[in-house]
Amino acid sequence: MGSPLRIVNGRVYDPANGVNGAVQDVCVRDGKIVADVPPDAKRIDAAGMVVMPGGIDIHCHIAGPKVNLARKVQPETHQDDVQLRTRLTRSGTGGTVPSTFATGYRYATLGYTTAMEAAVTPLGARHTLEEFHDTPVLDKGFFVLVGNNLLLYRLLQEGRREELRHALAWWLKVTKAYAPKLVNPGGDEMWKGQRNANITSLDDKIGSFDLTPRRVIAAFIEAGNELGLPHPVHIHCNNLGHSGNVETTLETMRLAEGRRAHIAHIQFHSYGAAAGKSQSNPTSRARDIIEYINTHPNISADVGAVMFGPATIMTGDAPLAYMLRRFGGNKWVNADTENESGCGIVPFRYQDRVYTNALQWAIGLELLLLSEDPWRMVFSTDHPNGGSFMSYPRLIRLLMDRGYRKEQMAHVNQKALDRSALRDCQEREYSLSEIAIITRAGPARLLGLTDKGHLGVGADADVTIYEEDEDKEKMFSAPRYVIKDGELIIEDHELRADHQGRLLHVAPDYDPQIEQVIEPFFEDFYTIRFANYPVDDRYVPNGQIIPTTPSVAAAPATAGTRT
Amino acid sequence: MTLTLTLRTAPTVPLEADVLSPDRLSGVSALEAAKLTVVHGNQRADLGEFFQVGGAADGELHLTGDLAQVKQIGTGMARGRIVVHGSVGMHLGAGMTGGEIVVEGDAGDWVGPEMSGGRIVVKGNAGHMLGSARRGSQIGVRGGEIVVFGNAGNEVGNGMRRGLIAIGGDAGDFAGVNMLAGTIVVLGRLAWRAGAGMRRGSIISMHPAELLPTFSYACDYAPEFLRVCLRHVRGLGLTIADSHVNGRYQRWCGDGIELNRGEVLILDSAGTASRS
């Protein structure tokens, strides 16, 4: 846990506790923030520096079967970006999809201490946890894909809402997941059943089921909220990337009817359609999205910003990946996970001269610049979909430095800017406090991580200290110090210690009777036996259960004892 | 006076010696050169542990001995000359941009991967992946010349985009696979599936070849560029008969599953290929 530590003279940005640049001490002991430490404790002089909680990535793709497929499909990106073994650190490779060890170290060198893998099939949970074990420094969790799950569809179709909730709780618990994730609900199921089929509206019938995405989404929002999950439901809406998809996104948000719901990488869901003959071209409808979110406190989103350069499209949305393969122009992967989901991978490059790419870049910035509540419109690039997490510092500079932004705007496709409102929000510059919200405090609050994202007494001692610099990209590229669980991981910009982060997961209670419903389905349709399916605790050597606050009891009283 | 390195201890496992390049050794004394780092298996070692180093660097490097276990010689070299009196291991001249490498013996796999300039001459045989793209990469050789007096293995010029590869003997399967442009001259025989997936570019052979069904016969002709090209290859030391220079060639277009703008040219007097 490291020795007691006192950080002095730094300007502290801790928006969750109302601290906005005040010079005050931050004390650390036994992995937690404490009120005071003995006078002989080690001191870090942070004069001229900014002290923030450790960064939290609410939505990224860093571990599991699809991430590994993306690594395997592009070996050419590894050779140019080799990370050699050092006395402290393991070797690895980079590119847009770094190997596990490189992922952990590189996040740490940007000042990030927590990251959420955003799409894991239940069957891929073991693989993901094994990769997490080799992803150092970070605390991690994953969202488990439940939006194209055949058994859950069956229960819903038969109107068995109670059992759906129990089954969802079972799935979360046995896979050690953090939150339920919906990806293009119904789309993968359609795609697997029929050639070139996909969902185009919330009222489409899903394949052979007597269901619509509207019913599926509403049911999961309800179940997630009833279970009192720290992060009730994480939604990748239908129609991602399609012109005119803004209507679907707005309609999806309305389905929440006041309950908590989080919309993932909303930039990819904020497109209008151009009028006339170029109607396949998207336009920006960021304003409509922001207007809705500003006035609906139950809804939150991460932006899914795009940065020019190499990326890897990596998604559970298999029909989307198939559509994008022709823009990638090179290799692609499409895969099916029995009964549970699909998957697609396309190596990709965003180019500033290309209309659509420039528009996507603009919309990402627009959403953040128009947002009135930074707590609910938080930062992400959907790494590596909109660009690598290594591009975060540049995006932060674009938000904080309007001169730089203007300069960059001059280089991109101007027709795209004409179709966005980016030119209208040129004045706004994010403050350090707002950056602290969208990269730390906000994600922590949205994830329900009460011990993270702030520097109050009792919080996890995850602290990042940046040297102030006019060039914000430089400033956020290389923190001077990073403290994880009270241990000094980075000192003078260099890794000084290795660290094994925790797995953050939930374990909601459920009625054990639900296993009587699930087991026969497994024996009939799965390639894996029911008894072999739950992930046992050996896969979680360093876990932390985040409590749930259910609004309905999981009857009967003995529920949820099985692990 | 050139820098001379003579192998005195044969490495037991492959030795990664990308320091063996005129650029890296420029202005280095024999003593300093012996202290440079190479990687032997997973261990770092001094160059001097394996090589007797003499002379002084003046842009030319002479290597002597059986270097079949020595990899990455001439990696990224931009100028100067390397002469190997013996055989070399894999990844000779990887990504080189200029200068010349001459190997008196055989070369291993992956000669000149993704090179963009300069010349590699192999007097013996070369392994697989001669002048090829690295695994996963779409673009291979971007320029420069590779001349092999003997035979070459499979996938010669994989993804090649520009430049010349000339082979005195036979080429293995998949010569010119996924080629984007450039020229491959094979004086011996082409094995199976030459030009598979090629978009543009020319593959020339002096012997009948069994081509993929996605290649279609276009015409017989005596292309002017080929006369120039073959005279140039003759100048590089390969044996080019006058009948090659003046001959007529069958032009086969392909690969039909790609752009169909590539060509395989087969010397007509060599007898008819499987024209249908």
Side-chain angles (χ1 to χ4, degrees):
Chain A
M1 288 291 186
S3 47
L5 197 65
R6 180 188 289 272
I7 302 160
V8 298
N9 298 333
R11 289 209 291 136
V12 177
Y13 287 88
D14 181 12
N17 293 308
V19 182
N20 185 11
V23 175
Q24 60 189 56
D25 292 1
V26 174
C27 297
V28 169
R29 191 170 58 198
D30 298 333
K32 295 283 178 187
I33 305 288
V34 292
D36 205 359
V37 286
D40 61 342
K42 182 182 162 90
R43 291 166 94 88
I44 288 180
D45 185 1
M49 299 183 207
V50 162
V51 181
M52 288 186 182
I56 299 173
D57 200 335
I58 195 172
H59 186 115
C60 59
H61 300 275
I62 53 171
K66 70 172 186 317
V67 177
N68 217 30
L69 264 177
R71 293 183 187 117
K72 286 198 277 192
V73 82
Q74 36 194 345
E76 73 280 12
T77 63
H78 302 165
Q79 269 157 311
D80 300 328
D81 191 358
V82 173
Q83 185 169 309
L84 295 177
R85 190 181 65 173
T86 68
R87 193 175 52 82
L88 283 172
T89 59
R90 301 275 294 263
S91 62
T93 56
T96 54
V97 193
S99 60
T100 53
F101 288 101
T103 299
Y105 299 134
R106 289 182 183 197
Y107 259 113
T109 53
L110 289 184
Y112 273 72
T113 50
T114 305
M116 286 289 168
E117 157 60 54
V120 172
T121 58
L123 278 165
R126 275 190 182 78
H127 182 160
T128 306
L129 291 167
E130 286 181 337
E131 288 201 9
F132 274 174
H133 187 258
D134 286 346
T135 306
V137 186
L138 297 173
D139 285 345
K140 302 140 291 226
F142 68 83
F143 307 153
V144 70
L145 292 161
V146 291
N148 284 283
N149 181 307
L150 297 195
L151 176 60
L152 294 174
Y153 274 6
R154 234 184 222 198
L155 294 175
L156 184 59
Q157 175 175 262
E158 292 164 12
R160 296 153 76 180
R161 298 288 282 262
E162 291 273 302
E163 285 164 279
L164 176 82
R165 188 179 72 240
H166 291 305
L168 175 62
W170 179 85
W171 245 295
L172 287 165
K173 189 169 182 174
V174 303
T175 59
K176 313 284 187 198
Y178 191 78
K181 170 85 182 288
L182 307 181
V183 170
N184 186 8
D188 273 306
E189 185 43 31
M190 296 283 286
W191 173 245
K192 289 196 251 181
Q194 291 170 47
R195 186 181 162 85
N196 287 340
N198 196 356
I199 291 289
T200 56
S201 97
L202 291 186
D203 296 311
D204 285 3
K205 186 172 168 299
I206 300 174
S208 58
F209 287 92
D210 186 17
L211 283 178
T212 59
R214 181 184 298 279
R215 261 185 85 190
V216 171
I217 296 165
F220 277 101
I221 292 175
E222 184 179 77
N225 278 274
E226 283 172 354
L227 288 171
L229 300 173
H231 189 65
V233 62
H234 198 92
I235 306 172
H236 159 144
C237 297
N238 301 102
N239 282 331
L240 187 152
H242 291 272
S243 300
N245 62 12
V246 66
E247 301 303 337
T248 308
T249 313
L250 289 167
E251 196 58 23
T252 302
M253 294 194 285
R254 286 185 200 113
L255 284 177
E257 292 178 338
R259 287 168 299 209
R260 275 285 291 121
H262 181 91
I263 309 294
H265 39 67
I266 201 160
Q267 176 278 126
F268 291 105
H269 302 275
S270 305
Y271 308 148
K277 63 180 184 211
S278 56
Q279 61 186 208
S280 62
N281 274 351
T283 61
S284 168
R285 292 281 297 276
R287 270 182 198 284
D288 304 76
I289 292 288
I290 279 295
E291 209 165 281
Y292 189 92
I293 293 179
N294 282 344
T295 52
H296 291 79
N298 62 309
I299 300 292
S300 61
D302 61 88
V303 68
V306 154
M307 193 62 227
F308 301 119
T312 303
I313 309 289
M314 186 191 291
T315 175
D317 193 341
L320 166 77
Y322 180 73
M323 179 189 84
L324 291 174
R325 87 201 184 285
R326 61 196 165 98
F327 302 108
N330 189 358
K331 38 203 170 184
W332 55 286
V333 175
N334 223 255
D336 168 24
T337 305
E338 56 179 67
N339 304 311
E340 294 182 345
S341 184
C343 159
I345 291 155
V346 187
F348 198 78
R349 175 175 285 275
Y350 292 98
Q351 299 169 60
D352 51 12
R353 302 279 168 197
V354 173
Y355 172 85
T356 306
N357 299 168
L359 186 80
Q360 292 175 305
W361 176 82
I363 295 175
L365 296 174
E366 221 181 307
L367 286 163
L368 287 164
L369 293 169
L370 290 170
S371 163
E372 285 169 17
D373 186 354
W375 292 92
R376 289 186 295 112
M377 175 59 78
V378 300
F379 190 77
S380 74
T381 62
D382 188 12
H383 160 84
N385 284 281
S388 160
F389 62 82
M390 298 303 280
S391 59
Y392 292 175
R394 180 163 300 173
L395 282 161
I396 289 173
R397 184 173 180 198
L398 284 165
L399 294 173
M400 294 192 75
D401 182 345
R402 63 183 167 219
Y404 175 69
R405 187 163 68 228
K406 203 169 171 191
E407 197 183 295
Q408 296 301 304
M409 281 166 67
H411 296 148
V412 311
N413 185 305
Q414 296 298 308
K415 280 201 180 107
L417 289 189
D418 296 343
R419 293 265 169 81
S420 84
L422 191 55
R423 293 203 184 99
D424 302 341
C425 34
Q426 274 185 18
E427 284 309 303
R428 183 162 180 197
E429 284 184 338
Y430 266 63
S431 64
L432 280 169
S433 180
E434 286 172 315
I435 293 294
I437 295 171
I438 63 171
T439 58
R440 290 137 157 93
R445 186 175 287 182
L446 299 180
L447 289 166
L449 291 168
T450 50
D451 293 343
K452 292 194 182 295
H454 71 98
L455 299 173
V457 170
D460 290 344
D462 299 347
V463 187
T464 305
I465 304 174
Y466 297 101
E467 285 170 322
E468 280 198 77
D469 197 306
E470 271 305 298
D471 180 347
K472 302 301 177 202
E473 183 180 352
K474 193 172 151 211
M475 172 173 167
F476 282 94
S477 297
R480 177 81 177 261
Y481 301 98
V482 175
I483 294 155
K484 176 78 191 75
D485 289 326
E487 206 177 328
L488 200 53
I489 302 295
I490 287 181
E491 191 175 1
D492 296 337
H493 311 291
E494 282 177 17
L495 277 162
R496 291 293 161 86
D498 205 349
H499 182 83
Q500 177 75 45
R502 292 188 293 273
L503 174 81
L504 309 172
H505 64 109
V506 294
D509 287 337
Y510 53 85
D511 179 352
Q513 291 298 318
I514 195 65
E515 294 184 2
Q516 311 299 320
V517 176
I518 299 171
E519 183 167 359
F521 186 85
F522 265 71
E523 303 306 332
D524 285 349
F525 298 114
Y526 266 80
T527 57
I528 178 171
R529 301 296 296 268
F530 179 72
N532 294 333
Y533 188 77
V535 176
D536 65 64
D537 288 336
R538 285 174 306 171
Y539 283 85
V540 191
N542 202 3
Q544 180 185 352
I545 295 176
I546 305 298
T548 56
T549 49
S551 58
V552 284
T558 53
T561 46
R562 190 184 183 286
T563 49
Chain B
M1 200 177 168
T2 58
L3 197 65
T4 58
L5 291 97
T6 308
L7 191 70
R8 59 172 180 206
T9 314
T12 49
V13 292
L15 187 73
E16 291 178 16
D18 55 348
V19 292
L20 293 178
S21 149
D23 309 58
R24 302 279 291 273
L25 293 171
S26 123
V28 170
S29 71
L31 213 58
E32 290 164 335
K35 294 248 168 61
L36 291 170
T37 305
V38 291
V39 182
H40 184 223
N42 60 3
Q43 304 292 323
R44 280 163 204 285
D46 287 351
L47 188 60
E49 288 178 36
F50 297 93
F51 287 93
Q52 173 104 43
V53 188
D58 64 349
E60 190 154 332
L61 201 59
H62 280 244
L63 310 173
T64 308
D66 179 9
L67 309 187
Q69 287 269 55
V70 183
K71 304 202 289 189
Q72 300 178 359
I73 295 171
T75 294
M77 76 184 261
R79 61 202 151 86
R81 190 157 188 265
I82 301 177
V83 180
V84 185
H85 305 281
S87 298
V88 289
M90 293 203 285
H91 297 278
L92 176 72
M96 73 186 278
T97 60
E100 186 181 40
I101 302 176
V102 178
V103 180
E104 303 288 352
D106 298 336
D109 297 339
W110 296 99
V111 171
E114 299 193 5
M115 70 188 281
S116 58
R119 181 184 296 148
I120 301 176
V121 179
V122 179
K123 297 282 175 67
N125 299 321
H128 301 302
M129 314 306 295
L130 176 81
S132 155
R134 296 181 298 182
R135 285 297 181 213
S137 176
Q138 274 185 305
I139 303 172
V141 167
R142 294 157 168 86
E145 293 175 346
I146 301 177
V147 185
V148 177
F149 281 64
N151 302 324
N154 297 337
E155 296 192 45
V156 170
N158 181 337
M160 179 177 189
R161 176 139 144 193
R162 190 172 295 141
L164 172 70
I165 298 176
I167 298 164
D170 301 337
D173 295 344
F174 285 101
V177 59
N178 293 336
M179 217 171 149
L180 302 171
T183 308
I184 299 177
V185 177
V186 180
L187 300 181
R189 290 180 185 279
L190 283 174
W192 284 355
R193 304 185 185 111
M198 77 189 289
R199 298 182 141 230
R200 297 187 175 82
S202 307
I203 301 172
I204 295 112
S205 176
M206 304 305 165
H207 292 273
E210 186 184 334
L211 295 181
L212 286 167
T214 46
F215 280 75
S216 51
Y217 174 71
C219 63
D220 264 29
Y221 76 142
E224 199 57 43
F225 93 93
L226 200 54
R227 300 161 71 93
V228 179
C229 175
L230 291 177
R231 284 204 181 97
H232 176 72
V233 172
R234 182 186 273 166
L236 294 172
L238 292 187
T239 311
I240 303 284
D242 286 345
S243 59
H244 296 160
V245 177
N246 302 319
R248 291 178 71 78
Y249 289 79
Q250 297 169 8
R251 183 175 195 270
W252 293 75
C253 298
D255 185 338
I257 58 163
E258 290 294 339
L259 271 185
N260 208 31
R261 290 192 181 162
E263 60 182 7
V264 179
L265 301 176
I266 294 174
L267 184 65
D268 213 9
S269 60
T272 22
S274 54
R275 193 194 309 179
S276 53

